[in-house]
Amino acid sequence: MFERFTKDARAVVLGAVDHAERTHANEVTDEHLLLALLDREASRASFALTALGLADRRDSVERALTEARRRGGLSRADADALSDLGIDLSEIVSRVEEAHGVGALESTGKRKGRRSGHRPFTRDAKDVLTRSLRTAHAHRDRHIGDEHLLLALTTRPGLPAEVLADHGVTYEALERVLYGTGEAKAG
C-alpha cells in the first residue's frame, strides 16, 4: 500500500512518527497523524485545512486533544454516554487529579526507559491508513495523498474526527473543498 502514497502522504506518516518520538510515545496514534497533517504546507490537505479556516487554529486543536487526554482519551460522546448513566466524568477527573496529579488519566502510551527506534502504529492509526486507501479508490485516484489521510480521519469515530468537526472540518466540508461535492462517502 505504501508504494501508492504520494510524497506528501509519506511526509505525514514520517511526521506522525516524529510527533510520537518527540512526546516519547511508544506507539504512533491517529492523533499523531492529525498533528502531522497540521504541519504540512503546500499540499492538498493543507489547502483544504486553510480553506476551512483551520490553518491558523492549530493551538486550539492541540488544546482540545490535550483536554481529551486528561479525560483518559475519552471523546465528548463517551463523556455524554457516561453522563446518561449518572456518571460525572469531570468530577472523576478532578478527584483523580487531586490524588495523583494533573494528567494522571492521560493515556499517552509512554513508558520509562523507551529508547529511540521503531514505533508501531496503533490499531486506530492503521485504520486511518487503510481508510485512506479506500477513500482514494472511491475517488478513482491512483495514488494516496495527504488529502486522503485527512478525509480518512474524518470518517472514523474518535477523538481526531471530533476535534476536526468541532473546528468545522468534516468529511462533507472536505469533499466540497477538494472535489466540489459532498455526496460520496468512503470508509
Side-chain angles (χ1 to χ4, degrees), residues 39-97:
D39 291 342
R40 300 296 303 147
E41 294 178 2
S43 70
R44 291 211 49 192
S46 66
F47 162 77
L49 292 171
T50 299
L52 294 172
L54 192 62
D56 298 329
R57 299 177 60 205
R58 181 191 179 97
D59 290 343
S60 177
V61 170
E62 288 180 345
R63 279 193 304 276
L65 292 172
T66 299
E67 185 57 34
R69 281 193 296 274
R70 280 190 63 223
R71 296 188 309 257
L74 295 176
S75 69
R76 200 172 39 260
D78 296 331
D80 291 345
L82 290 170
S83 179
D84 289 346
L85 297 172
I87 300 169
D88 183 354
L89 185 58
S90 300
E91 181 64 25
I92 292 171
V93 170
S94 294
R95 287 185 182 188
V96 169
E97 289 186 342

Side-chain angles (χ1 to χ4, degrees), residues 118-139:
H118 175 72
R119 281 178 173 71
F121 282 68
T122 62
R123 179 177 297 151
D124 291 342
K126 288 177 184 176
D127 186 47
V128 170
L129 300 177
T130 301
R131 285 173 184 256
S132 70
L133 172 65
R134 288 188 208 137
T135 301
H137 181 72
H139 287 98

